[in-house]
Amino acid sequence: MTLPVLPEDANTTRQLALELEHVPAQGEADFLVGDGNALAHGRIMAFPQWSEPVTLLVGPAKSGKSHLARIFADRSGARFAGVDELEALATQGGRDPLIVENVDQLGYDEVGLFHLLNQSLREQRPILMTARDEIANWSLSTDDVRSRVRRATAFTLELTDDIQLSQMLVKLFRDRQVTVDPKIIFYLVARMERSSEEAVLLADLMDRLALAKGSAVTRAIAAEALDRRRIQRGASGDEQDWDRQADE
């Protein structure tokens, strides 16, 4: 998705280049546990005491699947499998843990996936898969592959309440080394589209706006970001003037 173009000068360009270098914190202590992801988090933290070798995490973009995959990699030594590696990994065998990310999105070879899951079930090889959609919606060619995938122990990640969404926004700003007044967080949560992906887009846009204006993140910037996101989604920007002017 293309972000709105902001006014640029030499200083703004430098600031934006620096801002784009931020790296989200993805350690165990950085994962925000809530009702919508507690079971998935518990599964990862329980490794290696898994009763079944294959785990599937399902959730929308930015819901925390990759963060949990990174935690699993750190805890288990698992490697991330490439799109074209599944058949070779199955042939090589062994019990080294593997991670297959976005298995429903990246065009993995179905035959390779089938053989790798068979090898995992046969030799108890731990595999963590992540996906955006439920298995029923995957574009699989054969029922054999679908039946193997359905043997995975599956967990869904979702945002379930205002507290979890607020915590996510706080972390997103913290990853950017930006401190935001809790009142602005509450303001956003009450007005934004409720999804983890929208939270990421809003935090990024607000950070860019603040850098372009050379100011802290204010409620006026939050209101402007909300309006821009509404317009991008095809809705009208309808925040009241006092929202923009309150902190100016």
Side-chain angles (χ1 to χ4, degrees):
M1 182 177 296
T2 302
L3 288 171
V5 176
L6 302 176
E8 289 191 11
D9 56 30
N11 187 55
T12 298
T13 301
R14 180 186 64 80
Q15 287 178 310
L16 289 178
L18 290 172
E19 183 274 335
L20 288 171
E21 294 175 359
H22 84 272
V23 178
Q26 291 195 329
E28 287 186 18
D30 302 304
F31 189 83
L32 301 175
V33 182
D35 291 343
N37 60 25
L39 291 177
H41 176 261
R43 172 70 169 185
I44 298 304
M45 300 304 288
F47 183 84
Q49 280 74 47
W50 285 5
S51 57
E52 297 292 336
V54 184
T55 296
L56 171 64
L57 304 182
V58 179
K62 311 300 182 181
S63 60
K65 303 186 303 296
S66 291
H67 192 160
L68 285 177
R70 172 51 57 191
I71 293 172
F72 178 68
D74 291 342
R75 291 177 66 87
S76 68
R79 61 165 291 190
F80 289 80
V83 172
D84 299 322
E85 291 186 298
L86 302 191
E87 182 69 42
L89 288 168
T91 301
Q92 292 166 9
R95 299 187 63 183
D96 293 338
L98 294 172
I99 298 168
V100 184
E101 281 208 282
N102 295 315
V103 67
D104 60 330
Q105 302 288 320
L106 297 183
Y108 289 94
D109 173 44
E110 281 192 38
V111 174
L113 179 60
F114 177 77
H115 289 158
L116 182 61
L117 291 176
N118 274 345
Q119 189 260 325
S120 169
L121 294 167
R122 183 174 62 251
E123 300 182 24
Q124 295 296 294
R125 180 182 207 166
I127 292 179
L128 175 65
M129 298 187 294
T130 71
R132 291 192 184 184
D133 288 330
E134 299 292 339
I135 298 170
N137 298 325
W138 294 12
S139 57
L140 296 173
S141 301
T142 67
D143 289 337
D144 285 341
V145 179
R146 196 179 303 276
S147 69
R148 294 302 185 276
V149 174
R150 288 190 183 280
R151 294 185 63 177
T153 304
F155 299 87
T156 300
L157 289 83
E158 58 186 2
L159 287 174
T160 57
D161 54 36
D162 288 354
I163 293 175
Q164 191 176 350
L165 185 56
S166 298
Q167 289 175 332
M168 182 178 184
L169 284 165
V170 169
K171 180 184 182 301
L172 288 167
F173 285 115
R174 188 174 66 224
D175 286 343
R176 292 165 171 77
Q177 299 183 340
V178 175
T179 300
V180 178
D181 189 316
K183 292 180 181 179
I184 296 175
I185 300 294
F186 298 150
Y187 175 84
L188 287 169
V189 170
R191 292 163 175 80
M192 65 183 283
E193 180 182 283
R194 304 180 64 79
S195 74
S196 51
E197 187 169 16
E198 183 67 14
V200 172
L201 291 169
L202 273 173
D204 185 64
L205 178 54
M206 288 169 62
D207 192 17
R208 289 169 180 262
L209 287 167
L211 283 168
K213 295 174 185 291
S215 77
V217 173
T218 63
R219 193 167 70 173
I221 284 176
E224 182 176 348
L226 287 166
D227 275 356
R228 289 189 182 218
R229 288 294 303 137
R230 288 191 188 95
I231 291 169
Q232 285 185 327
R233 296 196 306 271
S236 61
D238 56 3
E239 287 294 316
Q240 299 297 317
D241 288 343
W242 62 263
D243 279 330
R244 293 188 183 84
Q245 296 171 358
D247 299 311
E248 295 182 343

